[in-house]
Amino acid sequence: MEDTETRVEQFVYMSFPPAVPGEEYSTTQSLIETGVMDSMGVLVMVTWLEEEFSIIVDDEDVIPENMDSIANLARYVERKLAEMSVAG
């Protein structure tokens, strides 16, 4: 999962750079509550996840438990990829 988490983290830094140069995000911090991502940011993230990992993010999956931190996003992607390999 480290590779997935690294890819997600790199995208977060590129798309939602810290307000203070050099500041780092914790992989477990809430990206929504801290204002890193807003609702448009979530849509950008969903689009990127679908393109980058060739997964489909269902509407019911767009919840904080899946989308609110780098670690949660990585776990969600890994879960979706595992489901696809079982179904495939």
Side-chain angles (χ1 to χ4, degrees):
M1 182 163 73
E2 183 179 343
D3 182 48
T4 301
E5 189 168 292
T6 300
R7 288 164 64 186
V8 170
E9 185 173 33
Q10 288 173 344
F11 180 76
V12 167
Y13 277 97
M14 283 179 30
S15 300
F16 314 102
V20 177
E23 181 180 39
E24 294 189 14
Y25 300 130
S26 161
T27 59
T28 58
Q29 89 179 60
S30 170
L31 298 173
I32 296 169
E33 287 180 16
T34 58
V36 174
M37 277 193 324
D38 58 11
S39 57
M40 289 301 294
V42 172
L43 293 175
V44 168
M45 179 61 72
V46 166
T47 301
W48 179 78
L49 290 173
E50 290 182 334
E51 292 174 359
E52 181 73 12
F53 295 100
S54 300
I55 61 174
I56 295 173
V57 178
D58 298 313
D59 290 343
E60 61 267 12
D61 290 343
V62 183
I63 56 175
E65 290 80 6
N66 294 332
M67 304 284 152
D68 199 31
S69 71
I70 293 168
N72 286 1
L73 285 157
R75 278 193 296 272
Y76 172 73
V77 168
E78 291 292 327
R79 194 167 55 250
K80 291 294 280 190
L81 292 172
E83 289 171 8
M84 287 174 49
S85 69
V86 169

